[in-house]
Amino acid sequence: MTTAADYTEKIPNNVGLASDRRLQRALESWQPDFLSWWESMGPALPTRDVYLRTAVSVGREGWAHWGFVPMRDYRWGVFLAERDPGRRIGFGQHKGEPVWDKVPGEYRADLRRLIVIQGDTEPASVEQQRNLGATAPSLYDLRNLFQVNVEEGRHLWAMVYLLHAYFGREGREEAEELLHRNSGSQDSPRILGAFNEETPDWLSFYMFTYFTDRDGKYQLGTLKESAFDPLSRTCEFMLKEEAHHMMVGTTGVDRVVERTAQVMAENDTDDVAGYGVIPLPVIQKYLNFHYSVSLDLFGGETSTNVANYYTAGLKGRWMEDRRKDDHRLTGDSIMVDALVDAGDGEPGIGQVEVAALTGLNTDLRRQYIADCLSGVNRWNRILAGAGLPHRLRLPHVAFNRKVGAFAGIEASPDGERLSAEEWQRRRGEWLPTDVDKTFVRSLMRPVYQRGKIAAWIAPPRNGINGKPFDYDYVHLA
Ligand SMILES: [Fe+2]
Ligand SMILES: [Fe+2]
């Protein structure tokens, strides 16, 4: 197994595709379908070329090549992190046994399902972000959008490789389906709710890359632990690319908050809409929305499927090897969020104790929430730095949920139970209203001149790959 990619091939790869003619032919016949999907569902803004990184190796040093590429000619490839020949299963009933190079028959259906669900999210976000190029606040941001888009396309390749290489005819059929389902489609929507929501403006894009892409990071983290070694190695490399997507979201929200705070401080007012920046309460509503729909991606607080995946060794915990327990969890328990009897006949928001294995979704979600909190703290430091008393915050886990224990109730961002009627009356205080969305959209006018930036967002501290902010990152067609 080499780490450098073979770029003489039609499909760049480090998996020795040239020595497996059947698989190579299968993937080469999927490639035109992928390209026609990219043409019809990928970035809509016509460009000549874009300053992009392309993965060329999976080694620690210099894994990416940088340069101007026409996006259609981007070399989407198949890259797995280097094999660790001594790797052993880290958890579950097979703990300590050597990892698997093939899919064990009894886990075939479950593994395929896990790969399809992950794979479905990758092209979905490209579809959601299709029209954002038309309103990019700068060439720097436009480049970042396209970088995220091509890499989500590559993540689709990563999952499709596994389906083709290890799951036979059913895998090939699933690979086709990944291009046929579409975000927001009436007939064949994407599998998970958050991936059928629109990303109509750049504030949504930054919130999406902060909150929803971050869910992806955590899911990949659990699959990286998998006993099925090719899945583990694929996810390990995807996580490397994912770090950039996290940066785009984190610094994107930073810059929106920074600009708003600046205008608030300069004009000594909270009412900054008239100055052409996004008021803090609107930023908070967007945060509330993207955070709550992203929490839904973690599934129910308890899940016997996920318990079985863990026991079987298919999907581990975030940072499994740092956990100080037996990595089997058969006798352990965990407190999970739940509706409990509040004593007045009405169910209230509380917690119950369940078997640790059944509560694994909650465990993962808590890791995620702690990570989200670090972003909020960062944005609050920007507000504090501008001398403002205002603060952003994460809403309660029961707020605006469609999945899990709180799907059937309504709650305020403080976690106070509300009647359906009160929720309807007050939801506009907490979630973006049509007026808010129209206002945000009204600010979204493209800025394509080198070194210029839209008035509603601060410029980034640094450019990309050592280039300055005013670099010509994108050449429009
Ligand atoms: Fe991805
Ligand atoms: Fe991503």
Side-chain angles (χ1 to χ4, degrees), residues 280-300:
L280 275 185
V282 176
I283 297 175
Q284 178 70 58
K285 288 187 204 181
Y286 272 67
L287 185 162
N288 290 348
F289 173 75
H290 286 274
Y291 174 69
S292 56
V293 300
S294 299
L295 288 182
D296 280 346
L297 294 171
F298 290 84

Side-chain angles (χ1 to χ4, degrees), residues 41 77 106 138 153 155 198 206 264 301 356 363 367 375 385 387 392-393 421 470:
M41 303 301 283
E106 70 261 49
S138 73
H155 294 173
E198 286 180 49
Y206 300 130
M264 286 170 74
E301 283 70 13
D363 177 80
Q367 304 285 325
L392 293 165
R393 62 200 187 96
E421 178 272 323
D470 65 3

Side-chain angles (χ1 to χ4, degrees), residues 63-108:
W63 60 275
H65 166 80
W66 291 85
F68 282 94
V69 199
M71 261 197 295
R72 200 183 193 277
D73 299 340
Y74 189 80
R75 302 300 309 273
W76 285 281
V78 177
F79 309 107
L80 272 59
E82 250 170 295
R83 185 156 184 249
D84 167 4
R87 184 171 173 249
R88 289 181 178 268
I89 301 171
F91 58 94
Q93 64 183 354
H94 303 294
K95 183 177 183 299
E97 297 171 17
V99 292
W100 316 320
D101 288 326
K102 297 213 163 49
V103 179
E106 70 261 49
Y107 302 138
R108 204 176 159 85

Side-chain angles (χ1 to χ4, degrees), residues 5 38 41 46 73 90 105 146 181 215 220 259 468 474:
W38 176 264
M41 303 301 283
D73 299 340
F146 292 153
R181 281 186 296 272
D215 156 74
L220 290 176
R259 181 68 188 132
V474 180

Side-chain angles (χ1 to χ4, degrees), residues 433-455:
T433 62
D434 287 342
V435 173
D436 298 325
K437 292 183 204 171
T438 306
F439 171 72
V440 171
R441 276 206 210 207
S442 76
L443 300 180
M444 302 291 137
R445 279 181 238 115
V447 178
Y448 297 143
Q449 296 98 314
R450 269 179 84 159
K452 294 276 182 333
I453 188 147

